[in-house]
Amino acid sequence: MEDILFSFIIPVYNRPEEINELLESFLKLEGDFDYEIVIVEDGSLETSEDIISGFNQELNISYYFKPNSGPGHSRNYGMQKAKGNYFIILDSDVILPSNYLLEVNTFLNNNYYDCYGGPDAAHQSFTNLQKAINFAMTSFITTGGIRGGKQQLDDFQPRSFNMGLSKKAFLESEGFGNIHPGEDPDLSLRLHKLGYKTTLINNAYVYHKRRVSWSKFYNQVHKFGLVRPILNKWHPNSKSIVYWLPTIFSLGLVISLILSIFQILLPFYLYLFYFALAFVLALISSRSLVVAFQALLAIVIQFFGYGFGFLKSTFNLLILGKRPKDAFPYLFFN
């Protein structure tokens, strides 16, 4: 295996304050690595150029501005411009822990993969809302702990907020497609078809500082639900009953509340036990009653948003027979 030369690829859209926090975390990275940072401004009205110029003396940064074409195309653009042979793709709203690159380099030198994903975690400086949403997105009792890095998985589908991809795999796969969200699992599935293996590096986590409101969080997970049946249509081998669970959970909760009116209480008690367990786990992880209560709301929003989106998309694609771009044009960039 040739020496690994890392290029960080970071698309940004109207978020200069995020880039500032992310670049500050680069200054604290441990290890003597020769890496570059490629920042792609995706048609922003509020650009990051002035912020980035303040780091040029300390970091090896290349900055490109291009018309808005979505995060997938912007990542491809950055990888085309990059000089390294291994790309680390980050969202602009993450912060790197100081040992991040050490963990990635050590893992790849001992267990080389052409594509990896890393988990996300909540930093102590996050708001209560950010911590609650992070719990809902990473807990074992919501997503199986996969996003939170509870286990190492071969054939893991990395997410582009924290993802590594070799130049070889990028060139052969041609990178990300034009769907968003969903461009990252689509790439992972295409890589599998090409014979590349993917994995989860447990210790290569980032602090994912999602700047969202409750409504934005619902819209985000709703789109995740819309996208999954499209991916299942494109990649039939990826189908799994697991993707139906949020829909089943949401419908079951509604039914349990209706049944409780008629004094049929067992289903309601089962849900009550689940939420009590979630509350305790959120309280233990956050040490905050406010975060624990908000985590329950985040779980409900996550399951209902994703579940309704998944059901809506399945109905449009399988029952009505619509083409994905015709049914949901706002999920695609031209």
Side-chain angles (χ1 to χ4, degrees):
M1 182 186 68
E2 62 182 320
D3 291 339
I4 300 175
L5 301 175
F6 293 108
S7 294
F8 286 88
I9 312 298
I10 307 167
V12 60
Y13 181 69
N14 290 330
R15 297 288 180 85
E17 74 284 354
E18 290 181 349
I19 282 295
N20 186 68
E21 289 182 308
L22 176 52
L23 292 179
E24 284 182 348
S25 70
F26 271 100
L27 296 176
K28 301 174 184 177
L29 285 181
E30 301 169 359
D32 184 19
F33 297 101
D34 184 17
Y35 62 86
E36 67 168 338
I37 302 170
V38 179
I39 298 177
V40 181
E41 192 88 60
D42 188 25
S44 300
L45 297 177
E46 187 180 2
T47 71
S48 306
E49 189 170 9
D50 289 342
I51 295 291
I52 293 166
S53 64
F55 291 88
N56 282 334
Q57 298 300 316
E58 300 172 280
L59 297 170
N60 179 16
I61 303 177
S62 299
Y63 172 77
Y64 300 95
F65 185 95
K66 51 176 279 299
N68 180 254
S69 58
H73 181 268
S74 295
R75 297 183 190 111
N76 292 343
Y77 184 92
M79 288 186 281
Q80 291 166 356
K81 298 291 186 181
K83 301 178 179 65
N85 58 22
Y86 208 99
F87 310 129
I88 298 179
I89 302 159
L90 302 174
D91 277 358
S92 63
D93 62 351
V94 304
I95 300 172
L96 296 177
S98 60
N99 64 335
Y100 179 86
L101 199 49
L102 277 174
E103 295 290 348
V104 170
N105 186 69
T106 300
F107 184 95
L108 292 179
N109 276 293
N110 293 326
N111 309 276
Y112 185 80
Y113 284 79
D114 284 284
C115 182
Y116 78 84
D120 54 346
H123 193 270
Q124 61 182 9
S125 67
F126 285 11
T127 66
N128 289 335
L129 173 60
Q130 289 168 334
K131 291 177 181 178
I133 289 177
N134 181 268
F135 177 84
M137 296 289 282
T138 62
S139 173
F140 178 79
I141 63 170
T142 56
T143 61
I146 294 176
R147 289 180 63 104
K150 301 303 181 186
Q151 53 185 316
Q152 180 176 318
L153 296 174
D154 285 345
D155 297 332
F156 175 70
Q157 294 180 16
R159 296 298 184 264
S160 51
F161 67 85
N162 180 14
M163 177 180 185
L165 181 67
S166 71
K167 182 176 182 178
K168 178 183 176 183
F170 165 65
L171 292 175
E172 190 168 352
S173 66
E174 299 182 347
F176 295 94
N178 66 344
I179 191 171
H180 178 72
E183 70 274 16
D184 28 21
D186 171 57
L187 174 57
S188 299
L189 292 166
R190 287 189 285 109
L191 287 171
H192 293 164
K193 291 179 182 178
L194 292 170
Y196 290 98
K197 292 184 178 181
T198 62
T199 192
L200 171 68
I201 304 180
N202 286 316
N203 294 329
Y205 65 90
V206 298
Y207 299 115
H208 199 178
K209 197 169 186 177
R210 300 177 182 88
R211 287 175 169 83
V212 295
S213 62
W214 290 119
S215 60
K216 288 180 180 179
F217 180 53
Y218 176 85
N219 289 333
Q220 181 186 52
V221 294
H222 182 67
K223 286 183 177 180
F224 289 162
L226 291 174
V227 161
R228 181 49 65 175
I230 297 175
L231 297 178
N232 290 345
K233 184 178 179 67
W234 290 349
H235 310 283
N237 290 337
S238 70
K239 293 180 180 179
S240 172
I241 188 64
V242 170
Y243 301 128
W244 279 97
L245 293 182
T247 304
I248 295 170
F249 179 96
S250 302
L251 293 175
L253 179 56
V254 173
I255 292 172
S256 72
L257 292 174
I258 295 173
L259 291 176
S260 68
I261 298 174
F262 301 98
Q263 299 302 307
I264 302 176
L265 299 177
L266 178 59
F268 175 78
Y269 288 148
L270 292 175
Y271 276 96
L272 195 63
F273 173 78
Y274 173 85
F275 284 115
L277 177 61
F279 179 83
V280 171
L281 293 177
L283 182 61
I284 292 172
S285 65
S286 68
R287 300 180 182 179
S288 168
L289 283 171
V290 175
V291 172
F293 278 114
Q294 288 187 329
L296 299 184
L297 178 58
I299 290 172
V300 172
I301 290 174
Q302 180 178 342
F303 281 151
F304 272 82
Y306 187 104
F308 174 61
F310 185 90
L311 191 61
K312 178 181 177 181
S313 183
T314 299
F315 180 80
N316 274 271
L317 299 183
L318 297 185
I319 306 301
L320 300 182
K322 291 185 178 181
R323 295 173 62 249
K325 285 187 178 181
D326 294 335
F328 309 107
Y330 49 88
L331 296 178
F332 296 87
F333 284 88
N334 294 322

